[in-house]
Structure formats: structure tokens, C-alpha cells
Amino acid sequence: MVVIGIGKLAKAAEVRTDTVRYYERLGLLAPPSRTRAGYRSYGTADIERLRFIRRAKSLGFPLDDIRQLLALRADDNARAAAVLTVTRARIAALDTQIRDLHAIAEALSRLADDCPPDAAVSECPILAHLSGLHRHPADSDRR
Amino acid sequence: MVVIGIGKLAKAAEVRTDTVRYYERLGLLAPPSRTRAGYRSYGTADIERLRFIRRAKSLGFPLDDIRQLLALRADDNARAAAVLTVTRARIAALDTQIRDLHAIAEALSRLADDCPPDAAVSECPILAHLSGLHRHPADSDRR
DNA sequence: TTGCACCTTTGACCACGATCCAAGGTCAAG
DNA sequence: CTTGACCTTGGATCGTGGTCAAAGGTGCAA
């Protein structure tokens, strides 16, 4: 059985050694066995586990969710429905966030499109909006 | 001229007094004049300014951008183009963020739709994906 | 044996935008 | 004159996910 140190593990999983220890503290990684000198020693399954965490992170799961997912993966009695619950909750959170950001981007785009670049800032509808004026001070000729 | 203390200012602008002092430290609010006792004293223009900050924040501008926007608003020689530059940069950042989140949400939704709730976790395509298996271990009958 | 890479721990620090706490000063009402 | 609301400062804390530094021990090669 292949035994590697924290440095090789980190390199294999493309994380920092600090991150490995950090995940151990958070309970995402079990405390590994130690050499006589006190060095952490890992096996290939740990590389797998770290890569799982990386992929989950890249899909927007917070570390708390990832801890749950790891527990479910290791639980022979667990049903896929449990994974689905975590996943659907994440999707819902993402959808909310996307909708919020989209609404903001839309609002900014509309204001930006209405903004004449060469005008003085006093004519700028963006600043006007931020100042709480919902009409341009001199838009009598628009529309 | 109306003079108010930090508590009334904060209440009028719907922020905490701590936030007012915090913004002062960050340079979003000029250090106000003080009463003989050392109390900060503000005027109605400061309520306006705080509300401006609140609106800008609600449109997703970070405080650093807001400091710039406030400076532009106060600069008679500034052109709307400068406001537009800040705004377009924010829109671009939002669009990138939205696209990233959308891609993640899509990927998760596809996985979730493929996941049979009653199956054992070992059959869960979500966990399979996170484990780096891009095919289900037993999907011979799908497609 | 020396030198270097690697490992250990504890604890501080980063962004971001606040929020809260402690210890003390001020002010108006009753 | 006391009570309570308000104000002051400096510094600590939160959440999230790490990153870094200091001071020391270990392992291997020239």
C-alpha cells in the first residue's frame, strides 16, 4: 500500500499543504496516521477524497455541504435522495443569486445606456438614480 | 441649518451608527464637525450621502467604487463618461459572475435530474461526478 | 557533518462589510 | 442628583476559505 506525505498528497490533489491541514481541522479529512517522527501519512484514497472536495467546490458547494456529501458517500445505508436534497438546495441558492445579480445587471445596463458620455456628471442618469432622483433633471426632450 | 447627531443620521438613512463611523474611516464620509463635547454633528446633506451609498450598495457596487462615484458626483469638471466607466466595469463583473453561476446551476440541474432518489448513494450520478467518474458505474441500460 | 527540503505546531493575517464590546464622557428629564 | 439615553475611542469578532510566518524537528545526500 502506497504511503505518501502531506507534500505529495497536496501536489497530487493540487492544493496547498496548509489547505490539507485546514480541511483536517474542519473535519473534511480524517486525522491521518503518523510516522514515528509525527509526520502525517496518507494513501491514494486521500488524493481521491481531496479531489472530490475540489470538484464539489468548483460546483459551488460550501465546505459544510461538502462535509455532508462526503458523509453520504461513505454511508452504505444512505439513499441518493439525501444527496439530491443537498444539491437541490444549492441549485435553489444559486438560482436566487443569479436572479438577484441579473436584476442588478439589467438595472445598471438600462441606466448606462441612457447615459450620454460627454455630458457633465450633473446630467448623468446613473448618479441621478443613485441620488434618488427617478427622473433626469433635464429630460424634457426625451421620449 | 438643521444639525443632527450620529444616531438621528443613522436612523434617517437606515444604517447603524457603527456603519456611519465605519464609512468615515473608509473615507466615504468626510469627518464631520464636532460639538464642544466631541459629538459628531451632521446636516441633511449627510443623510442624502448615506442614502446614495445605500442605493449604490444595493446595485452591487463595492465601497471602493462608491467612493469613486461620490468623488465624481462632487466634481464639477467630471464627465458622465467617468461614471460610465465604473458602471460598465461593474456590469462586466456581474455578467461574468452570472455566467459562472449559471454554468454551475445548469451542471447541477442536469446531474440532479439524472439522479434516482430511491437508489443507493453508490448509484448517485452526483456523487459519481464529484468522484471524477464521468459515467455511472452501472448505466449500461441508459440511452 | 553540513545543507537543504520536508515536516510539525501555534497563531496571525487577508478580503469584505460590517457589528459589537468595554470603558468612559455628556446631556436632559424627573 | 441620579437615571437613562446618547456619544466617544480602540480594538475584537463574525463568516468564508484559506494563506503565511516563526521556531523548531526530521530525513537524506554529498
Side-chain angles (χ1 to χ4, degrees):
Chain A
M1 134 217 207
V2 186
V3 171
I4 57 176
I6 196 174
K8 297 212 164 179
L9 171 65
K11 185 148 284 182
E14 293 175 283
V15 298
R16 309 290 191 98
T17 55
D18 284 338
T19 305
V20 175
R21 284 185 283 252
Y22 177 61
Y23 287 171
E24 181 182 330
R25 272 196 293 125
L26 293 193
L28 293 172
L29 258 39
S33 56
R34 303 287 186 131
T35 65
R36 309 162 232 47
Y39 288 17
R40 287 169 178 80
S41 63
Y42 297 96
T44 47
D46 297 302
I47 300 176
E48 228 326 287
R49 195 174 173 93
L50 270 176
R51 288 192 177 142
F52 180 99
I53 296 170
R54 266 174 56 83
R55 286 186 206 101
K57 255 168 41 68
S58 77
L59 284 180
F61 287 104
L63 297 182
D64 269 8
D65 282 9
I66 297 175
R67 194 188 356 253
Q68 281 192 69
L69 293 173
L70 286 165
L72 289 171
R73 186 174 72 148
D75 180 356
D76 284 347
N77 295 324
R79 300 277 113 198
V83 177
L84 218 33
T85 299
V86 175
T87 304
R88 296 269 187 224
R90 184 95 315 258
I91 292 169
L94 286 168
D95 284 349
T96 298
Q97 216 185 329
I98 290 166
R99 262 195 302 281
D100 289 352
L101 293 178
H102 187 71
I104 290 172
E106 281 284 283
L108 286 180
S109 290
R110 265 183 273 107
L111 288 168
D113 289 346
D114 263 11
C115 180
D118 297 329
V121 284
S122 58
E123 304 296 310
C124 172
I126 301 169
L127 293 183
H129 179 89
L130 293 176
S131 299
L133 311 168
H134 288 261
R135 285 207 160 281
H136 193 287
D139 62 346
S140 43
D141 59 331
R142 191 137 15 139
R143 202 209 185 303
Chain B
M1 134 219 208
V2 186
V3 171
I4 57 175
I6 195 172
K8 296 212 164 178
L9 171 65
K11 184 147 284 183
E14 293 175 281
V15 296
R16 310 291 190 97
T17 55
D18 284 339
T19 303
V20 175
R21 284 186 284 253
Y22 176 61
Y23 287 171
E24 180 183 330
R25 273 197 293 126
L26 293 192
L28 293 172
L29 257 42
S33 56
R34 304 285 186 129
T35 65
R36 307 161 235 48
Y39 288 17
R40 287 170 179 78
S41 63
Y42 297 96
T44 48
D46 296 302
I47 301 176
E48 226 329 285
R49 194 174 174 96
L50 270 176
R51 288 192 177 143
F52 181 99
I53 296 171
R54 266 174 57 83
R55 285 185 207 103
K57 255 168 40 68
S58 76
L59 284 179
F61 287 104
L63 298 182
D64 270 9
D65 281 10
I66 297 174
R67 194 188 357 253
Q68 282 191 67
L69 293 173
L70 286 165
L72 287 171
R73 187 174 72 148
D75 179 356
D76 285 347
N77 295 322
R79 302 276 114 198
V83 178
L84 217 34
T85 298
V86 175
T87 305
R88 294 274 188 219
R90 184 95 315 260
I91 293 169
L94 287 169
D95 284 348
T96 297
Q97 215 187 329
I98 290 166
R99 263 195 301 281
D100 290 351
L101 294 178
H102 187 72
I104 290 172
E106 281 284 283
L108 287 180
S109 289
R110 265 183 274 108
L111 288 167
D113 288 347
D114 264 11
C115 180
D118 297 330
V121 283
S122 59
E123 304 295 309
C124 172
I126 300 170
L127 292 183
H129 179 88
L130 293 176
S131 299
L133 311 168
H134 288 261
R135 284 208 160 280
H136 193 282
D139 62 347
S140 43
D141 58 330
R142 191 143 14 149
R143 197 204 180 280

